[in-house]
Amino acid sequence: MSDYFNLNNGVEEAKGIIAKLKKVKFNKKLLILIILVVIGIPTTVILSQQKQVVEKQASIVNPSTVSELSSLVMTKGKLDLRVDKAGKSTTSEGRQVGVAVTKAKERKEKMLKLAEENPEEFLLNALPSQVTKNLSLQVRDQVEKEVDIKGKLVVIHYDDIKNKKDKFEYRVQVFDNNQKMVKSYDLYSAKPLRYLQTGTEVSVKGYGLDNKVVIQGGGEVDTTGLHVYDSPKQNPLGPQKVLAILFNFDDDLRKPISKDEARKILFSDDAQSIKSYYKTNSYDKVQVEGDVVGYYTLPSSNESCDGSYVWGTAAQAIAYDRGIKLSDYNRILYIFPTKGNCWASAWATIGGVPSEAWMTEVKTVGIYAHELGHNFGSAHANSLSCGDKPIGEFEYGYPNGCTSNEYGDPADVMGYTPWEHMFHFNAPHKEETNYLADSQILTVDTDSTVTVNALENVDSSVKAIRVPISESGSYYYISLRKAIDYDQNLPTGITDGVGIHLWRRYNQFNNSSGSTQLIDNTTEAEGSVDFRNSSLTDGKSFIDTQNGISVKQISHDQDKATVEIKIDKSVCRHLSPDLSVSPLSQVGIQGEELAYDFTVKNNDSPNCGASDFSVNGYAAVGGFQTSSPAMSIGPGETKIIQVKIKSSNNDPIGVYKVTGELRSQYPRHSRDTQVAYIVFGSLAYVVANPDRIDTSLGSEPSIILATAMDTNYKRILGGVNYEWKFISDDQVGTIENVNTSTNKFTPNRPGNGGITVKATFNNYSSSFEIPVNVSGTLTPTPTKKTLKLEPTADAFVGKDKPSANHGSLNYFQTDSTPSTISYLKFDLSSLAGKKILKAILRIKVSDSSDATQSLNEVSSSSWTESRINFKNKPSFGNKIVSFKANKANKIVMLDIEKIVNLKKGRVFTLGIDSAGSNTAKFYSRESALSNRPQLVIEYQ
Ligand SMILES: [Zn+2]
């Protein structure tokens, strides 16, 4: 990589162009372009180089037409996002795309024009990606895109000296990793850009269409779409190495100036040379030196000045071929003949490493000085006409109702000198170019009487007094001029007192970005505006009542002037607030409320109290409603007022402009700004999550969340009504609203079913079906069964006959004296694993007794009916229940569910004894069927 490419990118392309074109007779731009395409040079680069310089024209495109076209493009070019439950579009997309493409092309032409002529209107009509991504591809190709481009800024200033008009042109050049330029965009901004130099590394965020990029601009903050990463490192002091390249065209071989003449103008020690002028103007801080090369003949035509930017690039390429080491120079001047069809006389980059300047007025030294002044970073020296007053009332840091006269300062080569005189830079320009040291600029912000010395004298004295005007960054500069050296022809109306300039370095008011404004202090006396007598005379005052500033000249001679400055800080000055809005444009759906942040800075002087600001919004078309809180903002404070703007349910698809009126109790605080509200569709569909339910019986309930989506694939957050129901009566569970968009499904039987959720938003509704599958088998409700068991053995034993067995008797009995007890054995083996619901022991009394009877657990069941006696009887365990057997033939019913449950599946024994000596007798299993003991068990 040679320094050649680092020095000037895009030269390689130009070299390629020249190499190919040298062999071809051409002068038609079209032919060039065709060849460029054939040889594979990115046409975007070349096209941008062919850019025309057009004077601003009055014929602003009718914006409503663009709006209408936008609506058509959005309506007809839109992919329809309404989907059925299978996710398929319910309408045939592309039906109307043909119409939309035609309209989009029509619209594109108008938008390209708007980009140049009315960038703000362009931005208000621009369609954000939220919209364009939903347009058919063919339509999208014709519509602007959101861009965020990082590159280097080129700022070119065009001087139409004859008509006293000027123009700034901005480009953003994008480089690849090898520092080679790959693309160049023309940059436009809705509000004037702050004063920036060529080579500034920036990112621009806005909308791109073809090779044009439009940003909001206007401020010094990032929200305006311009972010500055790095400022160019250039030094306007010291040696300034100038390479003057002379060239002509293969259809105009004239040589309007000889190399010797050019050398003499630029680099000689003649009094009227650029070298001498800058040496004096800079107090010997700048040395202009360099070389003149050429003539080179460009394979191009100068029939017009279209493409003049690439002439420079091509001329550099030829110089490089001829062995000129371009990196030795930090200033490049192009000098060439003209056929008189150029819009401007000369044009130059503001700053730049290297800087570039294009000269058609090739013999006027003053114009070289002027264009180099731009290269060194200076803007114009203008004058300010405010009717019959020296200054008007301030708005936004600038006097309202005043006109800036381009080149209007008659005492600065950056104004209109006329050109045979190269007057010194004025005081602000000498500050800007660092010709004045910081110590030579005195800032005065309290009442003071101070002396300022003549600007031309070479010494270290104070040469400029700076009075801050408001918090918004403007200053009055007070300086004295003296009729010596280059200033010897200044009119006495300039040199007989101090001159006052208004300057705001990063000025963004009007289109004279960065220019100084000379104030006329003799309007009352003269009754007319003549800036050749604009100075203050002894005893006279300049008064800015609104800002509480007065400057009175006490005395002066040719080398110094004494002025009395009074600053009344007690005055409350209500100044126009700064107002910016973000975002400028938003996409909503019908009825949606969108929030716009209005950033308001109260610029009132510190002495004022806080003011209540509010924003009222209105739209000329559409049913928009706005609301914003009132906000108290103190002087110097910045606050955001959030303005909510709601479209109506009936506003059709389209771009709507809503005006926000910022107001407080003071009329001076009134400011308006416009925002765009783009209505783009409505409810598109509703989705559910999960979109199907597969569950099983006994599982946890399923939570279903429904989401209504708009046509921009955006979730609709509010205002949607959701209805939930089963698709059929054949339900497989229950549904219950958790909240309006969330439902809970609880399965209650196996099978297939479905749930529908219907979303309604304004006049639109959409449904979604959620299939439901519940698996598992229903456990049949076990039927209740009854088992009637007779004892497998029963017997009584008595103490009176301890060895006797009574098992075969058809009764058993109890008594306390002599002790007589009975045993009953049951086999519960068939009840293993069953659930015992109820167990009732029925025993029938044969002989009654009033003694209390007890039913007891028995520890063992190993006894047999035929062998049990009092001696071998098993012992009793816990008592289960007490009862009476006080009536013959009574059937005693005893609930023994607990013990049966405990013993189920086994053989077990119950024992009965008595607390009294009156014998009770019961029927045994050997008795008649109906009398026998019975254990009745209900179980599952
Ligand atoms: Zn200029």
Side-chain angles (χ1 to χ4, degrees):
M1 180 58 53
S2 72
D3 65 350
Y4 165 67
F5 295 108
N6 291 319
L7 178 69
N8 201 316
N9 303 282
V11 172
E12 193 188 36
E13 282 85 349
K15 273 178 68 185
I17 300 162
I18 290 158
K20 294 281 172 186
L21 298 190
K22 268 179 181 168
K23 295 161 192 139
V24 186
K25 177 70 189 165
F26 74 98
N27 59 6
K28 296 212 164 43
K29 197 160 58 174
L30 181 65
L31 179 60
I32 298 173
L33 286 176
I34 290 167
I35 293 165
L36 296 182
V37 171
V38 170
I39 64 178
I41 289 173
T43 47
T44 42
V45 174
I46 304 304
L47 281 168
S48 67
Q49 312 283 24
Q50 300 290 330
K51 181 177 161 51
Q52 289 201 15
V53 178
V54 278
E55 199 178 337
K56 268 203 173 184
Q57 296 184 356
S59 63
I60 296 295
V61 177
N62 179 2
S64 68
T65 315
V66 175
S67 293
E68 284 162 22
L69 288 168
S70 298
S71 302
L72 281 170
V73 166
M74 284 193 281
T75 313
K76 296 192 183 296
K78 186 175 183 179
L79 304 174
D80 200 317
L81 297 178
R82 261 158 235 285
V83 288
D84 60 20
K85 63 181 170 181
K88 287 188 182 147
S89 177
T90 54
T91 55
S92 63
E93 153 202 328
R95 230 174 5 198
Q96 307 186 81
V97 164
V99 182
V101 172
T102 309
K103 293 293 168 192
K105 284 180 176 166
E106 231 179 280
R107 178 181 176 277
K108 180 180 173 180
E109 289 312 308
K110 291 181 190 298
M111 286 295 277
L112 285 171
K113 219 168 166 222
L114 275 183
E116 284 186 34
E117 297 175 0
N118 192 345
E120 181 167 22
E121 202 57 45
F122 176 100
L123 288 180
L124 286 167
N125 280 285
L127 301 180
S129 62
Q130 248 176 299
V131 169
T132 53
K133 76 181 179 192
N134 296 322
L135 298 178
S136 99
L137 205 60
Q138 297 144 282
V139 176
R140 216 182 299 165
D141 280 349
Q142 305 297 326
V143 176
E144 61 280 355
K145 288 168 187 63
E146 286 180 38
V147 292
D148 192 347
I149 296 162
K150 195 172 175 184
K152 277 185 183 165
L153 205 60
V154 177
V155 185
I156 305 178
H157 185 80
Y158 289 82
D159 284 307
D160 176 6
I161 289 159
K162 279 188 213 88
N163 298 304
K164 297 198 175 179
K165 280 184 192 161
D166 73 333
K167 178 181 145 82
F168 279 96
E169 188 182 285
Y170 299 88
R171 290 158 188 260
V172 179
Q173 296 181 331
V174 180
F175 297 86
D176 66 12
N177 290 336
N178 297 322
Q179 293 305 305
K180 188 170 152 188
M181 191 182 82
V182 290
K183 192 149 186 171
S184 174
Y185 296 92
D186 296 341
L187 177 69
Y188 302 92
S189 65
K191 289 176 186 156
L193 289 176
R194 55 176 286 192
Y195 190 60
L196 291 167
Q197 305 224 342
T198 298
T200 306
E201 283 179 43
V202 295
S203 69
V204 291
K205 203 172 174 182
Y207 286 90
L209 188 57
D210 285 357
N211 70 321
K212 292 177 165 46
V213 172
V214 184
I215 63 170
Q216 213 170 335
E220 290 164 30
V221 288
D222 291 352
T223 53
T224 58
L226 182 85
H227 175 77
V228 173
Y229 287 98
D230 200 9
S231 296
K233 314 242 175 324
Q234 58 172 335
N235 190 357
L237 302 183
Q240 302 296 319
K241 299 282 284 181
V242 178
L243 177 67
I245 306 177
L246 311 180
F247 63 78
N248 51 25
F249 305 89
D250 66 358
D251 68 344
D252 185 352
L253 295 168
R254 285 179 293 162
K255 297 179 175 176
I257 187 170
S258 73
K259 280 167 87 169
D260 282 348
E261 280 176 289
R263 254 182 229 116
K264 190 170 185 300
I265 285 176
L266 292 167
F267 309 125
S268 75
D269 290 325
D270 282 14
Q272 289 297 303
S273 77
I274 293 301
K275 177 184 173 185
S276 303
Y277 167 74
Y278 271 104
K279 180 180 159 73
T280 304
N281 186 31
S282 70
Y283 314 106
D284 212 5
K285 288 179 176 171
V286 167
Q287 296 88 45
V288 174
E289 51 197 55
D291 298 293
V292 180
V293 297
Y295 274 87
Y296 305 145
T297 300
L298 300 192
S300 189
S301 166
N302 66 343
E303 206 54 59
S304 79
C305 290
D306 297 2
S308 64
Y309 187 78
V310 84
W311 294 346
T313 316
Q316 284 189 44
I318 298 172
Y320 181 77
D321 275 352
R322 305 282 164 92
I324 308 294
K325 203 177 171 201
L326 295 169
S327 59
D328 283 349
Y329 303 92
N330 60 342
R331 312 285 170 194
I332 299 179
L333 285 178
Y334 309 113
I335 302 169
F336 49 91
T338 174
K339 289 182 182 148
N341 299 327
C342 297
W343 177 80
S345 327
W347 48 103
T349 57
I350 301 289
V353 185
S355 62
E356 293 171 272
W358 291 256
M359 309 293 302
T360 71
E361 291 265 356
V362 299
K363 289 192 176 173
T364 312
V365 187
I367 297 181
Y368 285 92
H370 181 100
E371 298 307 327
L372 278 168
H374 287 314
N375 286 162
F376 295 158
S378 277
H380 278 170
N382 291 356
S383 60
L384 200 61
S385 297
C386 304
D388 58 354
K389 297 171 291 188
I391 197 78
E393 293 195 333
F394 273 65
E395 296 279 356
Y396 332 133
Y398 188 75
N400 200 18
C402 296
T403 310
S404 175
N405 310 301
E406 206 64 46
Y407 309 97
D409 187 337
D412 185 334
V413 78
M414 299 314 292
Y416 185 67
T417 70
W419 301 103
E420 61 268 28
H421 307 304
M422 290 185 282
F423 294 128
H424 279 247
F425 282 4
N426 64 30
H429 281 149
K430 288 203 181 196
E431 180 192 315
E432 188 172 46
T433 47
N434 293 333
Y435 298 169
L436 291 178
D438 289 348
S439 60
Q440 294 180 289
I441 304 154
L442 181 69
T443 302
V444 171
D445 61 357
T446 52
D447 292 358
S448 312
T449 300
V450 287
T451 298
V452 63
N453 292 274
L455 195 63
E456 293 76 3
N457 288 343
V458 185
D459 54 41
S460 58
S461 59
V462 169
K463 298 193 183 298
I465 296 161
R466 236 165 51 143
V467 182
I469 294 169
S470 67
E471 293 69 37
S472 53
S474 295
Y475 293 89
Y476 288 124
Y477 278 77
I478 301 160
S479 62
L480 179 69
R481 302 295 288 267
K482 179 181 175 182
I484 57 161
D485 58 65
Y486 287 90
D487 280 354
Q488 62 182 293
N489 292 310
L490 280 177
T492 50
I494 295 283
T495 56
D496 64 359
V498 295
I500 301 178
H501 291 88
L502 171 65
W503 193 46
R504 189 182 188 190
R505 186 166 195 156
Y506 297 120
N507 153 327
Q508 69 216 34
F509 42 76
N510 71 33
N511 285 315
S512 297
S513 185
S515 59
T516 59
Q517 312 284 338
L518 177 65
I519 288 164
D520 189 3
N521 279 298
T522 55
T523 49
E524 284 174 0
E526 298 297 316
S528 69
V529 179
D530 182 350
F531 290 90
R532 287 171 302 174
N533 62 1
S534 54
S535 295
L536 271 185
T537 48
D538 287 351
K540 284 198 76 175
S541 294
F542 163 77
I543 299 168
D544 172 356
T545 40
Q546 189 204 343
N547 291 306
I549 296 171
S550 73
V551 180
K552 183 180 181 185
Q553 183 164 303
I554 307 296
S555 64
H556 87 287
D557 60 28
Q558 63 165 0
D559 287 314
K560 62 183 184 307
T562 300
V563 290
E564 183 187 73
I565 298 164
K566 291 200 164 167
I567 299 166
D568 184 356
K569 289 188 175 170
S570 70
V571 180
C572 160
R573 306 186 302 278
H574 291 295
L575 298 172
S576 272
D578 287 343
L579 175 63
S580 63
V581 64
S582 175
L584 182 69
S585 174
Q586 284 191 81
V587 182
I589 56 177
Q590 289 170 322
E592 187 174 357
E593 187 177 73
L594 301 175
Y596 294 75
D597 284 345
F598 282 60
T599 302
V600 181
K601 185 185 177 204
N602 181 347
N603 287 323
D604 288 356
S605 62
N607 225 33
C608 303
S611 300
D612 279 338
F613 287 89
S614 62
V615 178
N616 173 43
Y618 70 86
V621 182
F624 288 82
Q625 294 177 336
T626 60
S627 64
S628 92
M631 199 163 278
S632 172
I633 307 177
E637 256 189 317
T638 301
K639 280 188 181 173
I640 290 173
I641 300 179
Q642 193 174 70
V643 180
K644 289 181 174 163
I645 303 178
K646 190 174 191 275
S647 57
S648 81
N649 297 346
N650 304 314
D651 289 323
I653 286 177
V655 180
Y656 296 85
K657 274 160 246 168
V658 181
T659 303
E661 301 172 323
L662 178 70
R663 299 287 183 267
S664 86
Q665 62 267 52
Y666 304 108
R668 191 168 287 280
H669 285 160
S670 298
R671 287 207 70 171
D672 295 350
T673 193
Q674 280 196 313
V675 298
Y677 185 122
I678 301 174
V679 174
F680 192 55
S682 187
L683 174 73
Y685 55 94
V686 60
V687 287
N689 185 20
D691 59 2
R692 58 175 302 117
I693 293 172
D694 285 298
T695 186
S696 57
L697 274 180
S699 295
E700 288 294 305
S702 304
I703 300 293
I704 319 161
L705 178 69
T707 310
M709 303 293 286
D710 68 25
T711 41
N712 308 315
Y713 295 115
K714 223 171 54 167
R715 185 179 164 200
I716 303 176
L717 293 171
V720 183
N721 181 47
Y722 297 91
E723 284 174 72
W724 299 83
K725 62 176 188 184
F726 281 105
I727 291 169
S728 69
D729 293 338
D730 193 20
Q731 301 167 11
V732 288
T734 56
I735 50 175
E736 183 192 341
N737 275 2
V738 177
N739 56 50
T740 171
S741 61
T742 311
N743 205 285
K744 185 165 86 173
F745 168 76
T746 311
N748 65 12
R749 64 174 190 77
N752 293 310
I755 300 166
T756 307
V757 57
K758 181 181 174 190
T760 306
F761 181 77
N762 298 329
N763 303 320
Y764 295 89
S765 64
S766 174
S767 295
F768 189 90
E769 285 181 7
I770 304 132
V772 179
N773 175 264
V774 181
S775 62
T777 44
L778 193 63
T779 315
T781 310
T783 43
K784 197 163 62 175
K785 288 184 181 164
T786 306
L787 180 68
K788 294 178 178 172
L789 293 174
E790 289 181 7
T792 52
D794 55 11
F796 71 91
V797 293
K799 198 178 179 179
D800 53 341
K801 293 174 181 170
S803 300
N805 172 272
H806 312 288
S808 59
L809 295 176
N810 64 353
Y811 67 91
F812 51 84
Q813 61 187 14
T814 59
D815 204 337
S816 61
T817 316
S819 174
T820 305
I821 57 177
S822 294
Y823 291 88
L824 294 99
K825 194 193 287 195
F826 290 94
D827 180 1
L828 301 180
S829 56
S830 67
L831 292 171
K834 305 293 186 200
K835 186 178 176 189
I836 307 302
L837 303 172
K838 203 172 174 184
I840 303 292
L841 177 66
R842 295 159 58 108
I843 42 178
K844 189 171 180 178
V845 179
S846 96
D847 289 355
S848 66
S849 162
D850 54 4
T852 298
Q853 309 291 314
S854 293
L855 185 70
N856 305 286
E857 290 180 31
V858 176
S859 58
S860 169
S861 290
S862 60
W863 59 277
T864 62
E865 192 178 61
S866 57
R867 297 177 67 87
I868 191 170
N869 57 37
F870 197 81
K871 280 182 184 163
N872 65 13
K873 66 181 192 313
S875 57
F876 281 13
N878 294 327
K879 189 173 88 175
I880 299 167
V881 66
S882 298
F883 62 95
K884 292 278 189 183
N886 51 2
K887 201 173 169 189
N889 292 322
K890 170 187 177 181
I891 294 175
V892 178
M893 313 239 282
L894 301 172
D895 182 357
I896 56 164
E897 181 254 319
K898 262 187 199 158
I899 184 76
V900 169
N901 232 330
L902 214 65
K903 301 287 184 185
K904 65 190 174 188
R906 289 187 274 165
V907 173
F908 87 113
T909 300
L910 297 166
I912 306 169
D913 58 1
S914 171
S917 58
N918 190 356
T919 304
K921 236 183 209 179
F922 303 90
Y923 290 103
S924 75
R925 72 186 194 106
E926 285 80 9
S927 63
L929 191 65
S930 60
N931 294 336
R932 294 173 191 169
Q934 208 172 42
L935 179 55
V936 183
I937 300 166
E938 287 180 14
Y939 69 94
Q940 286 179 336

Coordinates of all heavy atoms in Angstrom, one line a residue, residues 62-73 103 125:
N62 N -44.6 19.2 -4.2 CA -45.8 19.2 -3.4 C -45.8 18.0 -2.5 O -45.9 16.9 -2.9 CB -47.0 19.2 -4.3 CG -48.3 19.2 -3.5 OD1 -48.2 19.3 -2.3 ND2 -49.4 19.2 -4.2
P63 N -45.6 18.2 -1.2 CA -45.4 17.1 -0.3 C -46.7 16.2 -0.2 O -46.6 15.0 0.0 CB -45.2 17.7 1.1 CG -45.1 19.2 0.8 CD -45.6 19.5 -0.5
S64 N -47.9 16.8 -0.4 CA -49.1 16.0 -0.3 C -49.1 14.9 -1.3 O -49.6 13.8 -1.1 CB -50.3 16.9 -0.4 OG -50.4 17.4 -1.7
T65 N -48.5 15.2 -2.4 CA -48.4 14.2 -3.5 C -47.6 13.1 -3.0 O -47.9 11.9 -3.3 CB -47.9 14.8 -4.8 OG1 -48.5 16.1 -5.0 CG2 -48.1 13.9 -6.0
V66 N -46.5 13.4 -2.4 CA -45.6 12.3 -1.9 C -46.4 11.5 -0.9 O -46.3 10.3 -0.9 CB -44.3 12.9 -1.3 CG1 -43.5 11.8 -0.7 CG2 -43.5 13.6 -2.4
S67 N -47.1 12.2 0.0 CA -47.9 11.5 1.0 C -48.9 10.5 0.3 O -49.1 9.4 0.8 CB -48.7 12.5 1.9 OG -47.8 13.2 2.6
E68 N -49.6 11.1 -0.7 CA -50.6 10.2 -1.4 C -49.9 9.0 -2.0 O -50.4 7.9 -1.9 CB -51.3 11.0 -2.5 CG -52.3 12.0 -1.9 CD -52.7 13.1 -3.0 OE1 -52.5 12.8 -4.2 OE2 -53.2 14.1 -2.5
L69 N -48.8 9.2 -2.6 CA -48.0 8.1 -3.2 C -47.6 7.1 -2.1 O -47.7 5.9 -2.3 CB -46.8 8.6 -4.0 CG -47.2 9.3 -5.3 CD1 -46.0 10.0 -5.9 CD2 -47.7 8.3 -6.3
S70 N -47.2 7.7 -1.0 CA -46.7 6.8 0.1 C -47.9 5.9 0.6 O -47.7 4.7 0.8 CB -46.3 7.6 1.3 OG -45.2 8.4 1.0
S71 N -49.1 6.5 0.7 CA -50.3 5.7 1.1 C -50.5 4.6 0.1 O -50.8 3.4 0.5 CB -51.5 6.6 1.2 OG -51.3 7.6 2.1
L72 N -50.4 4.9 -1.2 CA -50.7 3.9 -2.2 C -49.7 2.8 -2.2 O -50.0 1.6 -2.2 CB -50.7 4.6 -3.6 CG -51.9 5.3 -4.0 CD1 -51.7 6.2 -5.2 CD2 -53.1 4.4 -4.2
V73 N -48.4 3.2 -2.0 CA -47.3 2.2 -2.0 C -47.5 1.3 -0.8 O -47.4 0.1 -0.9 CB -46.0 3.0 -1.9 CG1 -44.8 2.0 -1.6 CG2 -45.7 3.6 -3.3
K103 N -46.2 3.1 -8.6 CA -46.3 4.3 -7.7 C -45.0 4.5 -6.9 O -44.7 5.6 -6.7 CB -47.5 4.0 -6.8 CG -48.9 4.0 -7.4 CD -49.2 5.4 -8.0 CE -50.4 5.3 -8.9 NZ -50.6 6.5 -9.7
N125 N -41.6 12.0 5.3 CA -42.3 11.1 4.4 C -41.6 9.7 4.3 O -42.1 8.8 3.7 CB -42.4 11.7 3.0 CG -43.6 12.6 2.9 OD1 -44.7 12.2 2.9 ND2 -43.3 13.9 3.0

